[in-house]
Amino acid sequence: MWDLEITLGSINIDGHATPSRILNWLSSIFAGILMCKIIDSSVSCTISTSFFKGYSKLNRNERLDWKNRGFSTFHAILVAAGSLYLLLGSRVFDGAHDFNINMTSTLSDTIMGVSIGYFISDSAILLYHFPVLGGLEFVLHHGLSLYSIILSLLSGRAQIYILMVLFSECTTPFVNLRWYLDVAGQKNSKLYIFNGVALFFGWLVARVLLFVFLFYHMFIHFDQVKKVFPLGFYSLLTVAPLLALMNVFWFWKIANGLVKTLNKAKHSQ
């Protein structure tokens, strides 16, 4: 059994961190890292060279970004589907019995472990090639995500809110497809426009309105939220709003980009 002490509050995982859980956590994290490595090393290049003849003409940084978005997309689809099932399709958080924000399951631990592996891999690549793959806002986003997921996984607390945030990754494939189409010279295609519209509404629902629901859910269950260990409680009150603000900022940029794209398409007709 383990005891983990942190300055802002005690995270007592004695009884929660059983040997079987620890093995599952480590296996899931390793699986997440391995997933990124396999897709980055082979799958992305194989698929790219087969379906996009211009891949060989991309410069070094573009190829790096192209491959990075490959495992980013795969991770997003995997965790978004898993989170959606856990939140709506499973009985873990269905409230059939006395609802508890601290409910956990082997699948929820696995999904979070895989995400930790992904964020570790992506953060390492992001920092090593900084700022080619993204600026400080991406470093902050990944840092906050890693911190929150690890804290919730180790403590077994408030996983429902982590899963809500992980579901918002469902917008990532649209972001990546927009970049792929841009690099492929397809900014004037109908697919680019349709994808932009889908990204706008997807972001609005999954990264803006969903966070509004998250804060509402925390409010009506605040009697449980305030009983989370101190570090977890204050993290819920600070990290979630920070991520929400970042999402609103990016949504504003997406909306502006969509307006410009639609105006350009209208004038070209």
Side-chain angles (χ1 to χ4, degrees), residues 39-50 55 66-67:
I39 297 176
D40 180 69
S41 300
S42 57
V43 177
S44 286
C45 292
T46 303
I47 295 176
S48 300
T49 53
S50 300
Y55 180 80
W66 186 286
K67 293 193 297 180

Side-chain angles (χ1 to χ4, degrees), residues 60-160:
R60 179 179 177 275
N61 288 342
E62 288 175 334
R63 288 191 183 188
L64 178 65
D65 206 348
W66 186 286
K67 293 193 297 180
N68 180 266
R69 291 175 186 272
F71 65 75
S72 167
T73 298
F74 189 87
H75 163 263
I77 294 173
L78 179 66
V79 300
S83 298
L84 182 63
Y85 169 74
L86 284 165
L87 292 169
L88 300 180
S90 72
R91 295 185 177 182
V92 179
F93 304 106
D94 65 358
H97 307 289
D98 292 335
F99 180 80
N100 191 331
I101 65 169
N102 298 320
M103 297 295 290
T104 66
S105 71
T106 301
L107 180 58
S108 65
D109 282 359
T110 301
I111 292 294
M112 293 171 66
V114 169
S115 278
I116 290 173
Y118 160 75
F119 280 115
I120 289 175
S121 301
D122 203 38
S123 296
I125 296 174
L126 184 65
L127 291 173
Y128 184 79
H129 296 282
F130 186 83
V132 174
L133 299 176
L136 290 174
E137 68 274 17
F138 290 97
V139 176
L140 177 61
H141 173 270
H142 280 34
L144 290 174
S145 298
L146 258 177
Y147 165 77
S148 302
I149 299 172
I150 291 174
L151 200 62
S152 182
L153 183 65
L154 289 178
S155 65
R157 300 291 187 268
Q159 286 194 6
I160 185 173

Side-chain angles (χ1 to χ4, degrees), residues 190-216:
K190 289 184 179 180
L191 179 57
Y192 186 87
I193 297 175
F194 292 152
N195 180 73
V197 174
L199 173 59
F200 173 84
F201 286 107
W203 198 281
L204 174 63
V205 173
R207 291 190 183 256
V208 178
L209 297 181
L210 180 59
F211 270 76
V212 173
F213 174 76
L214 186 152
F215 296 135
Y216 169 74

Side-chain angles (χ1 to χ4, degrees), residues 177-251:
L177 180 57
R178 183 178 64 171
W179 184 89
Y180 284 134
L181 292 172
D182 186 7
V183 172
Q186 299 295 317
K187 286 192 70 172
N188 296 323
S189 67
K190 289 184 179 180
L191 179 57
Y192 186 87
I193 297 175
F194 292 152
N195 180 73
V197 174
L199 173 59
F200 173 84
F201 286 107
W203 198 281
L204 174 63
V205 173
R207 291 190 183 256
V208 178
L209 297 181
L210 180 59
F211 270 76
V212 173
F213 174 76
L214 186 152
F215 296 135
Y216 169 74
H217 195 281
M218 286 175 57
F219 175 75
I220 63 176
H221 294 96
F222 197 71
D223 58 321
Q224 296 183 37
V225 172
K226 66 184 181 182
K227 293 179 181 178
V228 175
F229 59 94
L231 182 61
F233 173 71
Y234 291 114
S235 295
L236 280 171
L237 297 184
T238 54
V239 175
L242 277 174
L243 291 175
L245 286 174
M246 294 175 70
N247 286 337
V248 170
F249 170 71
W250 281 325
F251 180 66

